Amino acid sequence: MELRQLQYFVKVARKQHVTQAAEELHVAQSAVSRQIRQLEEELGVQLFVQKGRNLQITAVGKLFLSRIEAVLTDLERAVNEIHEYLDPEHGEIRVGFPHSLGIYLLPTVIAHFRKNHPKVKFRLRQGTYNSLIRDVMKGEIDLAFISPFPEKHSHVAGELLLREELYAIVPQGHVLCEYQTIRLEQLKEDSFVMFSEEYSLRAIVLEACRKAGFSPRIGFEGEETDTIRGLVAAGMGVSLLPEMALTEISELQPVKVRVIEPQVTRSIGLIHRTGEKLPLVAEVFREFLIDFFIRYK
């Protein structure tokens, strides 16, 4: 059993398609198929079954995948630790983040960090609240920016970095677009453009509306702040977005209005796996972030 076979197996399992896996691995499709076939022969089991044009992983394949992913993650960590031991300034930091923090916050802190650590590399992974926690728990990323910050969790720990205000956004020409401040209940008759259910900002908006005494009528749903902002600007409804998600200027721009009743905020934190020492370069970045946000406040 070769390392290459295991790497090809994991890639095919994730893509469920040999051609797509081969493209990402930058090898011929025949080479991937051959390695998978040899792995199945060595194990004496069938790891995949054909389903239309795609491959579907078998039950025993899923079992094997869960073990191999952990093995490859540990191997990658061991290699990184050796490189960091030789020269921490050439290390790599694996960071997860939600989309709403990738617009402004993440590029800002990385740019500041690289002023003193220009050779450190970053591997970034975007995800939802649950997927980021899962990736930290599995050791696939070292650190994750997350919102809301989980105050108590059995498998992850970290630091609260800041609280950010959410603004109401309305289309140009809306009856409230000239207001400096509003009460959230003033939007109760409007259709809301809302995040999909797996996104934590949806829960924050729903809770704020509940406190304001109404349940929002949802007209459209989206998965990224850019989509929400664009739909509101196009007159499809109203919404609430974090201040950082409204820094980008585009041709189609909604109007932002401060909500004073109730005040709507979200907590933003940094998490890592509980009870496990971070790689040296990731610990340096974590300490930098804590100091950065103390000064930011």
Side-chain angles (χ1 to χ4, degrees):
M1 191 177 301
E2 299 178 1
L3 177 60
R4 181 172 53 184
Q5 290 176 332
L6 301 179
Q7 292 171 330
Y8 286 12
F9 162 70
V10 170
K11 182 64 70 174
V12 172
R14 289 175 176 171
K15 305 301 294 186
Q16 297 187 47
H17 201 285
V18 173
T19 302
Q20 293 177 9
E23 289 174 354
E24 290 199 8
L25 291 165
H26 304 292
V27 297
Q29 179 179 336
S30 58
V32 176
S33 298
R34 182 170 61 254
Q35 294 294 336
I36 295 298
R37 186 168 59 253
Q38 290 175 355
L39 181 60
E40 288 180 324
E41 290 174 355
E42 184 172 347
L43 292 172
V45 297
Q46 189 172 11
L47 298 171
F48 299 98
V49 293
Q50 195 74 37
K51 188 176 182 181
R53 295 184 177 181
N54 294 344
L55 291 179
Q56 185 174 28
I57 192 168
T58 62
V60 69
K62 290 180 180 178
L63 176 63
F64 189 60
L65 176 65
S66 65
R67 300 294 187 184
I68 294 306
E69 283 184 317
V71 169
L72 292 180
T73 296
D74 285 342
L75 177 61
E76 181 180 28
R77 184 181 298 135
V79 172
N80 288 337
E81 286 176 353
I82 290 173
H83 290 163
E84 290 171 18
Y85 179 81
L86 295 173
D87 186 357
E89 288 301 319
H90 284 79
E92 179 181 76
I93 307 171
R94 302 172 302 165
V95 180
F97 65 98
H99 173 266
S100 61
L101 298 185
I103 300 170
Y104 174 78
L105 185 144
L106 187 66
T108 299
V109 296
I110 289 179
H112 278 81
F113 180 77
R114 284 176 58 84
K115 288 179 181 179
N116 293 323
H117 307 276
K119 296 180 181 179
V120 171
K121 297 178 181 178
F122 284 85
R123 185 185 305 184
L124 305 176
R125 176 178 294 188
Q126 182 176 312
T128 62
Y129 180 86
N130 290 327
S131 70
L132 290 171
I133 289 181
R134 184 182 64 244
D135 290 345
V136 169
M137 289 170 53
K138 292 172 65 177
E140 294 185 359
I141 52 179
D142 304 309
L143 298 163
F145 290 95
I146 197 163
S147 178
F149 176 65
E151 298 287 349
K152 295 182 180 179
H153 196 284
S154 301
H155 303 289
V156 299
E159 297 79 26
L160 175 64
L161 299 177
L162 76 155
R163 292 190 180 276
E164 181 187 20
E165 186 175 358
L166 270 68
Y167 282 77
I169 56 171
V170 300
Q172 298 283 350
H174 190 277
V175 66
L176 299 176
C177 71
E178 300 294 334
Y179 282 54
Q180 296 297 313
T181 62
I182 62 169
R183 301 184 313 279
L184 188 56
E185 67 174 355
Q186 291 175 264
L187 297 176
K188 66 181 181 181
E189 301 300 328
D190 286 271
S191 175
F192 272 68
V193 181
M194 195 73 74
F195 282 91
S196 302
E197 290 186 357
E198 64 267 29
Y199 289 84
S200 58
L201 280 170
R202 179 189 180 100
I204 293 173
V205 174
L206 290 175
E207 176 61 16
C209 292
R210 186 194 66 77
K211 289 181 178 179
F214 70 98
S215 179
R217 177 166 53 88
I218 301 173
F220 294 89
E221 293 187 359
E223 296 186 351
E224 295 187 344
T225 53
D226 294 345
T227 303
I228 304 294
R229 189 179 61 205
L231 288 171
V232 171
M236 302 300 179
V238 301
S239 191
L240 297 178
L241 281 182
E243 185 174 12
M244 277 187 281
L246 299 171
T247 56
E248 185 180 349
I249 302 300
S250 61
E251 184 176 342
L252 199 60
Q253 191 77 6
V255 177
K256 75 172 186 178
V257 185
R258 174 169 272 114
V259 178
I260 59 172
E261 187 182 327
Q263 187 179 41
V264 190
T265 63
R266 66 168 176 172
S267 59
I268 299 173
L270 184 73
I271 59 171
H272 56 86
R273 190 152 59 163
T274 300
E276 184 167 306
K277 185 178 179 181
L278 283 168
L280 179 58
V281 67
E283 177 61 26
V284 171
F285 184 55
R286 187 188 74 85
E287 292 175 358
F288 160 81
L289 290 171
I290 293 171
D291 180 67
F292 180 90
F293 283 100
I294 288 174
R295 289 185 283 108
Y296 178 88
K297 293 175 183 177

